[in-house]
Amino acid sequence: MHGKKKTSTGPLLLRIALILLCMVAFSTSMLAGLYARYTAKGRGDDTARVAKFDVNVEGFSEDVTVDASQGETSGTYTFTVENDSEVAITYDLVITFEKALPAGVSVSLQGETGIPDGNTVTFFDVANLAPASADSTRTLTFTLNLNTFTENASGLSVTETVNFTATIRCTQID
């Protein structure tokens, strides 16, 4: 038994395992460095706030009376719109009558005629208001055609009261 060499696979397997472990550690390190180049991590906060929307209308009433016996041919309805919002607005004026507008009565706003639809008259895009601004006063005019009212009046005095509801419809424009 003198010429035979003893073989052991123990130290060889240990060496291979150590080499594989080193290769895995090295490749993991390389992969982590490559991954870090294409990955970004950030932190941030953001907040949002809704703009204040506040429109005030002054001078709204419910009816206008025109007394032809006193020589009146028109009645007026005056209102003011104030934009206390943080945004610019445009507004429409919608006049809704309790019943159909009597024949011989016309409605205009600053000389412009509105769009009639049944018992409503709408004035579109009355004004654009910047943030925190007051609109100049607007005057809605109800005009009587006296000939229409006096045809059947037989000399009696003519008084017409027009009952309505006025609504301002606002839209943000910026």
Side-chain angles (χ1 to χ4, degrees), residues 128-144:
N128 293 341
L129 297 176
S133 67
D135 182 23
S136 59
T137 301
R138 304 283 178 180
T139 302
L140 189 66
T141 305
F142 294 85
T143 305
L144 293 180

Side-chain angles (χ1 to χ4, degrees), residues 56-77:
N56 298 309
V57 181
E58 298 203 9
F60 268 12
S61 63
E62 297 285 325
D63 59 1
V64 172
T65 301
V66 181
D67 187 355
S69 66
Q70 300 297 319
E72 297 176 0
T73 59
S74 64
T76 58
Y77 168 77

Side-chain angles (χ1 to χ4, degrees), residues 2 70 77 94 109 151 164-165:
H2 188 37
Q70 300 297 319
Y77 168 77
V94 180
L109 177 67
E151 278 178 1
F164 62 92
T165 302

Side-chain angles (χ1 to χ4, degrees), residues 8 17 20 25 47 83 85 90 110 124 135-136 152 160:
S8 162
L20 283 174
T47 58
N83 182 17
S85 303
T90 185
Q110 306 297 115
F124 292 99
D135 182 23
S136 59
N152 301 323
E160 184 67 30

